[in-house]
Amino acid sequence: MRTKDLLNLDSLDRPEIEEIFDLTAQIKKEPKQYRQVLSGKAVGLVFQKPSTRTRLSFEVGMFQLGGNAVYLGPEDIHLGVREDIRDLARTLSRYLDGIVARTYAQEDAENLAKYSSIPVINGLSNSYHPCQALSDLFTIKERFSSLDSLIVAYVGDGNNVLHSLIQICALMGVSLKIAVPKGYEPDPEVLRWAMSRSSKISVYHDPKQAVKGSDVVYTDVWTSMGQEKEAKERKKAFEKFQVNRQLTALAKPEHGVMHCLPAHRGEEITDDVLDGKHSIIFDQTENKLHLHKAILSLWLGGKK
Ligand code: CP
Ligand code: NVA
């Protein structure tokens, strides 16, 4: 059964993910059918970090479903500073029907969820980006018609985006070949959880090994929000992990290239790959809108 909150993909199972994908496909195909499903409802976006796509897709998505979205940025709510998270959670629960939270600590999103009576959806924390991984796998399924026998290669940092990608690949039985520099591996707990469910996850320190024969090549920034002080040392550690033409030439001829965006062009990905014919990056971006509408409909109690 679906849990109250969507904080981390380990709370979902395969049928629940398939239900989200089916609804996303329907909403994408016939958006007008869903214009009233959240009529009169309101979601609050409690965002402690900047956002373009996640904010827009949840805000616009909520409007397209007939509801309202209220953005509460770092200047509006100093999470845990202006007031205790428990008081904030209880207050928001009296006004809103749901919360999308973008926090530094995963624990902050968990505490918001614990003390609120309304659903809390994780719109990225330092540890996870569950909604991103859901729309990414939806995009892969759309591009290749099926997830069966696909190999996804992830080249880059062992970060929040990778953690959620590992979880969803394990849940959906998709092979994931990860290439990270030494010292930048994903959280061993996340890997252990995934490997206990799937034998299709492997970690390399050589990007070529991961990308060779893959259907999808995925990358993300080398320096995530909140890690800006480490940017210089990270640039050096990741210099051999750039997704460029030479590397993608090792993937299957019909491969797709993905990036959750924002990208640092010329660092983790070159212009020619981001703009090239294999890039499905802007379909991936668009699908965040459709998928977030499905999440809002399901978690905030829409009829469909
Ligand atoms: N992919 C993503 O979450 O983008 P934003 O940080 O712009 O929301
Ligand atoms: N890993 C990136 C993802 C941004 C969507 C970050 O946390 O900044």
Side-chain angles (χ1 to χ4, degrees), residues 103-252:
T103 58
Y104 286 90
Q106 173 75 7
E107 199 188 353
D108 284 348
E110 283 167 7
N111 279 328
L112 258 182
K114 183 171 170 190
Y115 294 103
S116 61
S117 56
I118 54 177
V120 177
I121 294 158
N122 182 357
L124 180 144
S125 70
N126 289 350
S127 310
Y128 301 104
H129 200 359
C131 299
Q132 181 70 47
L134 283 164
S135 57
D136 293 345
L137 261 276
F138 176 83
T139 303
I140 296 173
K141 192 175 172 201
E142 182 180 64
R143 165 73 168 72
F144 294 93
S145 304
S146 153
L147 293 174
D148 293 345
S149 341
L150 289 182
I151 302 172
V152 176
Y154 176 95
V155 179
D157 186 23
N159 62 15
N160 44 9
V161 166
L162 178 59
H163 289 155
S164 294
L165 191 65
I166 291 171
Q167 291 175 323
I168 200 160
C169 285
L171 287 164
M172 300 306 283
V174 173
S175 295
L176 178 64
K177 292 161 84 183
I178 300 162
V180 286
K182 285 203 173 108
Y184 293 91
E185 290 85 359
D187 182 343
E189 273 301 311
V190 174
L191 272 181
R192 250 195 301 279
W193 179 91
M195 284 171 171
S196 69
R197 275 158 186 80
S198 163
S199 55
K200 296 180 172 177
I201 317 256
S202 42
V203 182
Y204 305 90
H205 295 297
D206 174 4
K208 292 193 204 82
Q209 266 185 289
V211 170
K212 200 164 178 256
S214 63
D215 297 281
V216 173
V217 183
Y218 194 128
T219 190
D220 183 20
V221 289
W222 295 339
T223 301
S224 285
M225 290 180 276
Q227 297 173 329
E228 289 78 7
K229 283 195 185 128
E230 300 169 26
K232 212 168 147 199
E233 65 186 83
R234 284 177 165 269
K235 220 167 164 175
K236 200 161 167 7
F238 286 89
E239 66 189 356
K240 295 203 167 63
F241 289 74
Q242 184 184 66
V243 172
N244 52 34
R245 277 251 185 100
Q246 233 182 330
L247 186 66
T248 54
L250 301 171
K252 284 192 188 144

Side-chain angles (χ1 to χ4, degrees), residues 47 50-55 102 123-124 129 132 225 260-262 288:
F47 276 32
S51 169
T52 304
R53 284 145 286 269
T54 306
R55 175 181 172 176
R102 173 165 285 202
L124 180 144
H129 200 359
Q132 181 70 47
M225 290 180 276
C260 58
L261 299 178
K288 282 173 73 78

Side-chain angles (χ1 to χ4, degrees), residues 257-259 261 269 273-274 279-286:
V257 173
M258 300 181 76
H259 191 310
L261 299 178
I269 189 163
V273 172
L274 200 159
S279 171
I280 51 171
I281 291 170
F282 294 97
D283 295 331
Q284 181 184 1
T285 290
E286 180 192 327

